[in-house]
Amino acid sequence: MGAQSAGPLVVGVDSSTQSTKTLVVDADTGVVLARGQAPHAVSGGEGKESDPGQWWRALGEALAQCGDAARQASALSVGGQQHGLVTLDAAGAPVRPALLWNDVRSAPQSERLIAELGGAQAWAERVGSVPGPAFTVAKWAWLRENEPAAAAATAAVRLPHDYLVQRLTGEAVTDRGDASGTGWWASSTESYDTEILEQVGLAPEALPRVALPGEAAGTVHADDLPLPKGALVAAGTGDNMAAALGLGLRPGQPVLSLGTSGTVYTVSRHRPADPTGTVAGFADARGDWLPLACTLNCTLAVDRVAALLGRSREAVEEGGEVVMLPFLDGERTPNLPGASGLVHGLRHDTTPGRLLQAAYDGAVFALLQALEEVLEEVLDADAAPDAPLLLIGGGARGRAWRETVRRLSGRPVVVPEAQELVALGAAAQAAGLLLGEDPAAVARRWGTAHGAAYEARPRDGAAWDRLAATLADGAALLRR
């Protein structure tokens, strides 16, 4: 078990697209006593699907790796990948594999639903978000059109984390954070929207109860996991909401997550409603809001450019005026789904290192532009223009990423030492339930956001202006 525990033990689960991670944490100190991880398989090709049963098996494997520590846990919470459509029959068994967030076959249904129910502004005001192809409502509409027999056999619809909570407790429970990514939970009323459900032919009885923040989903009833029967199970939440809990975020504190895709978000006391669809107006797991924007091209795209140039990812050189928009997979923010990478300003004296730096600049520029829109959704009283950017995700460990963020943002940067923030946030939710505390305050007590701090650098306005001009001038090419 490693370190000795001072207080009761809690388990935090991160059930992501690729794997399940588990942490056993001391609820008083935040010390991680044991960890486990087991992989998931995702189908290849156009569809992105997973068998929900393997998430359950992976949870068991990851908990088994935690040894005795998991068997001593008093409470557990699950953070899960958002948006996934899990369809269950009357016996509670999956009707078909789950459709995952990154399955974009539902793009036509997304566009049609937006038009049918009043347009983007109406959706933003009502639901808090404009439902893109990732949203569960679009996936359900796709299933009804393309696999009507599967839709007809569906007695219950769950999100990935709901499915695990139901198998743990026997209870059909979700939370407002994950529910806010479905497209059928309205942030304006904080309840399921019966008109939207009617439009897509889904009965409200097929959906789980939405627990209040701080409410338990139930207790462990499952026999086939190395957990104590009767341990408390929190309502759980979506992975982005769990990561915000894991950092103990206060309103207005901005986060940049540098992974395969990039994500920017903050906590807000003000309900977001962005009619452009750039900012998703998610709820958080506590009772506040989590305005969030996502870019598709982040670490993977920049690594690809480094490989093409035959450079290591840190072999950058500042200087020069070359501009790159590394939209290798199309782009979500800005909304350019058909875009490819664009390079402008090549000269005889352009070096490979400067070209690689331009790829970093382009990726960070898109994220910081998205962050500006996220922060516009926050009440002025909460926004702090000089608050440090919390840099998380795999890229946060890279010097080139960190220095590019500092140079283009002009803000101080903090790189939290804590890893596995989704699982840590779930553990904080479990500890909050167990101890009767605010889970974000629990995470702050654990010091999860502490890490290396870097002062603000002067902002490189010239590079920013070159990037903005190239994006504007290249619009026709990027939309082709």
Side-chain angles (χ1 to χ4, degrees), residues 368 389 404-413 457 459 464:
L368 290 174
L389 297 178
T404 304
V405 170
R406 290 176 71 202
R407 184 170 55 81
L408 289 181
S409 71
R411 285 192 190 232
V413 165
R457 281 179 64 171
R459 186 167 173 271
W464 184 277

Side-chain angles (χ1 to χ4, degrees), residues 108-119 123 126-127 131 136-138 140-142 144-145 183-184 192-204 207:
Q109 288 75 23
S110 155
E111 289 176 15
R112 197 181 66 242
L113 282 169
I114 293 166
E116 284 173 353
L117 288 171
W123 274 91
R126 182 173 182 165
V127 171
T136 326
V137 68
W140 173 253
W142 180 90
R144 287 186 78 219
E145 279 180 48
W184 53 56
Y192 292 131
D193 189 307
T194 51
E195 186 188 348
I196 292 171
L197 290 173
E198 201 171 295
Q199 184 75 15
V200 295
L202 186 60
L207 298 175

Side-chain angles (χ1 to χ4, degrees), residues 8-14 21-28 30-34 73-79 232 234 236-237 241-243 245-247 419-435 437-440 442-443 445-446 448:
L9 304 187
V10 293
V11 173
V13 178
D14 172 8
K21 297 175 185 173
T22 53
L23 298 179
V24 183
V25 181
D26 183 316
D28 284 345
V31 171
V32 176
L33 300 168
S74 301
L76 172 140
S77 177
V78 178
L232 273 175
T237 194
M241 298 79 200
L245 282 184
L247 288 165
Q419 301 285 295
E420 295 152 340
L421 284 163
V422 174
L424 263 182
Q429 190 185 49
L433 177 65
L434 189 64
L435 304 173
E437 290 185 54
D438 170 4
V442 169
R445 190 178 77 233
W446 291 352
T448 52

Side-chain angles (χ1 to χ4, degrees), residues 323-399:
V323 174
M324 186 185 300
L325 298 172
F327 300 159
L328 308 191
D329 286 319
E331 189 44 81
R332 176 170 161 177
T333 310
N335 184 21
L336 298 163
S340 55
L342 187 149
V343 180
H344 175 68
L346 277 178
R347 300 286 186 190
H348 282 287
D349 63 354
T350 302
T351 64
R354 285 179 174 176
L355 196 54
L356 180 55
Q357 180 61 62
Y360 278 97
D361 284 7
V364 168
F365 168 75
L367 267 175
L368 290 174
Q369 270 204 325
L371 181 64
E372 286 182 0
E373 298 200 40
V374 163
L375 293 176
E376 281 176 16
E377 296 295 320
V378 176
L379 282 175
D380 289 343
D382 291 334
D386 54 352
L389 297 178
L390 291 177
L391 213 56
I392 65 171
R397 307 285 148 189
R399 183 180 183 279

Side-chain angles (χ1 to χ4, degrees), residues 232-302:
L232 273 175
V233 179
T237 194
D239 52 6
N240 289 300
M241 298 79 200
L245 282 184
L247 288 165
L249 273 196
R250 295 182 189 276
Q253 274 188 299
V255 177
L256 264 74
S257 179
L258 304 170
T260 301
S261 59
T263 311
V264 286
Y265 56 86
T266 189
V267 169
S268 174
R269 295 191 179 97
H270 171 66
R271 185 178 79 87
D274 173 20
T276 71
T278 299
V279 179
F282 294 142
D284 78 350
R286 293 178 56 259
D288 289 325
W289 304 95
L290 196 75
L292 178 148
C294 184
T295 66
L296 291 181
N297 297 277
C298 196
T299 59
L300 197 64
V302 172

